[in-house]
Amino acid sequence: LYLNAEVYGAGARWGDALEEAATVAAGPYALDDDYQELFLADNHTSPELVFAVPFDGTNTQTWGGTTFLIAAALGGNMDQSEWGTVEKWYGLRTTPQFVSLFEGGAAGPDERSDILYTSGQSLAVSSLGEFTDGYAYPKYRNVTSTGASGSHGTHSDTDFPMFRLGDAYLMYAEACLRTGGGACEATALGYVNELRQRAYGDASGDITAAELTLDFVLDERARELGWEGHRRTDLIRFGLFTGGSYLWAWKGGVQSGQAVDDYLALYPIPGTEMI
């Protein structure tokens, strides 16, 4: 709320965002050693999750939540049993613009890009209705860190990471830059490089203070937090969700992307809800 306060007309609250992110960063949390374990069926044991939406395949069965996030990402020649499910919905894929954010694309040194599934998939999304158009991004699995399947073949045990320490680190970095930097910049750089060292396995992906810009933070949020529900909010804050200065495949309903009107930065409240 503090991060997006200004763009939604409530005044700049960057200092408040910085203070709250610092409080979380200093709390009893720690980065998970393995990035991909954040999205497994036993992710409730992760020291990184601050607030998660819990799911249990036996006791909280739903076709939404991580059941949807797992099954909708599977199709083509993917073996759904590797994701701990019997479901395969031939649904969601990524855009080429997302893939390009990773160094080396899907085959680069950033472990976070290992999630991209390219076998039998094309990079371009020529048809929205053809699952093999666009790389798949099956980030969530109904499988534990020991390789065991979840408690149910259809419904997921995987909790949804609504808010985690990695996000707080990036919030801190952005709020620091937006308040003019200074004393907080060294800490912000350290937080960002901690995330990148986990992703690269060493310090080869570290950035310098000069490279820590707002544009870099936006891209790093996409790499770190892809498919965790933040991108729309982030693009609105950076003034890129509407208009035509930033395009992605099928923005505005055309393959190459086109400008869209600013009213789309707000969700409509349905008449039935108003009543």
Side-chain angles (χ1 to χ4, degrees), residues 166-247:
D167 187 7
Y169 278 2
L170 292 169
M171 287 183 175
Y172 183 96
E174 180 181 345
C176 173
L177 293 172
R178 291 189 185 273
T179 54
C184 60
E185 283 194 57
T187 300
L189 181 64
Y191 286 158
V192 170
N193 281 334
E194 278 190 59
L195 295 176
R196 293 181 65 79
Q197 286 164 17
R198 174 172 66 180
Y200 281 74
D202 53 33
S204 63
D206 282 12
I207 64 167
T208 65
E211 293 173 307
L212 183 61
T213 64
L214 285 172
D215 286 342
F216 181 89
V217 170
L218 177 63
D219 289 348
E220 191 68 12
R221 285 185 64 81
R223 289 183 286 263
E224 177 69 22
L225 303 169
W227 215 0
E228 295 180 50
H230 302 287
R231 185 64 170 172
R232 178 183 181 276
T233 305
D234 291 347
L235 290 178
I236 289 172
R237 183 168 68 256
F238 279 78
L240 300 174
F241 185 70
T242 58
S245 60
Y246 176 60
L247 300 179

Side-chain angles (χ1 to χ4, degrees), residues 235 239-248 251-252 257-265:
L235 290 178
L240 300 174
F241 185 70
T242 58
S245 60
Y246 176 60
L247 300 179
W248 58 87
K251 179 179 180 177
Q258 66 179 355
V260 298
D261 292 334
D262 287 341
Y263 76 86
L264 291 173

Side-chain angles (χ1 to χ4, degrees), residues 136-184:
Y137 190 58
K139 189 171 189 176
Y140 301 88
R141 293 175 181 255
N142 189 30
V143 177
T144 70
S145 55
T146 63
S149 295
S151 65
H152 196 281
T154 292
H155 299 289
S156 170
D157 285 343
T158 308
D159 294 348
F160 180 77
M162 184 72 73
F163 183 50
R164 57 185 177 86
L165 182 62
D167 187 7
Y169 278 2
L170 292 169
M171 287 183 175
Y172 183 96
E174 180 181 345
C176 173
L177 293 172
R178 291 189 185 273
T179 54
C184 60

Side-chain angles (χ1 to χ4, degrees), residues 80-147:
Q80 61 266 44
S81 65
E82 294 183 20
W83 284 265
T85 181
V86 298
E87 302 292 328
K88 189 175 180 180
W89 294 355
Y90 293 81
L92 305 173
R93 293 92 66 203
T94 61
T95 65
Q97 289 74 24
F98 176 70
V99 177
S100 71
L101 292 174
F102 293 98
E103 180 185 356
D110 189 329
E111 177 199 327
R112 297 169 297 191
S113 69
D114 293 347
I115 297 169
L116 291 162
Y117 188 91
T118 63
S119 176
Q121 305 290 129
S122 66
L123 176 62
V125 186
S126 300
S127 170
L128 290 175
E130 184 61 52
F131 183 82
T132 53
D133 281 12
Y135 291 167
Y137 190 58
K139 189 171 189 176
Y140 301 88
R141 293 175 181 255
N142 189 30
V143 177
T144 70
S145 55
T146 63

